Amino acid sequence: MIFKLVGDGRPYPDHGLGQRDWAAIPPRQVRLDQLITTKRVLALDVLLDEDSTFYGDLFPHVVEWGGALYLEDGLHRAVRAALAQRTSIHARVHVHTAARPVGRLSHQ
């Protein structure tokens, strides 16, 4: 198993971060098997494109919420790392402090 769970959508409230906000977060190492994806589908052309990170952030974006790590952006980078047999990636991790809604089930 590459990821902890393959999710579909963001279970956490909107964090309101823009590109500049993400850029201010220093990257840290994150294990792939601790990540829950927020996308079920990966475009193969994006995965295989050597220039796919040219216009975007070099580091994936991860949201820590409710004790879980959600891969919000950079799925293709994480899959590339797994294909290269790496077990971790460097990512920007935002710790989301919004409360978990009562009665909502966790993806864990």
Side-chain angles (χ1 to χ4, degrees):
M1 178 61 80
I2 296 171
F3 301 111
K4 181 175 182 176
L5 184 70
V6 175
D8 190 21
R10 300 173 186 170
Y12 47 86
D14 183 20
H15 47 64
L17 296 180
Q19 286 299 334
R20 287 186 183 193
D21 301 313
W22 280 108
I25 299 172
R28 71 174 203 202
Q29 221 174 33
V30 178
R31 291 185 50 89
L32 293 174
D33 63 2
Q34 296 300 309
L35 293 174
I36 299 171
T37 69
T38 59
K39 298 176 187 169
R40 288 190 175 276
V41 178
L42 173 65
L44 190 56
D45 59 336
V46 174
L47 177 65
L48 299 175
D49 186 3
E50 292 181 16
D51 294 329
S52 64
T53 59
F54 185 75
Y55 294 105
D57 194 342
L58 293 176
F59 300 101
H61 297 171
V62 173
V63 175
E64 182 178 339
W65 184 67
L69 296 173
Y70 295 93
L71 180 60
E72 180 175 289
D73 183 47
L75 179 58
H76 61 289
R77 293 177 191 91
V79 171
R80 277 188 188 169
L83 290 173
Q85 299 183 356
R86 294 194 306 261
T87 58
S88 62
I89 57 173
H90 281 86
R92 299 184 193 278
V93 180
H94 167 66
V95 179
H96 201 344
T97 56
R100 180 180 294 277
V102 176
R104 200 139 175 208
L105 295 176
S106 171
H107 281 232
Q108 298 177 0

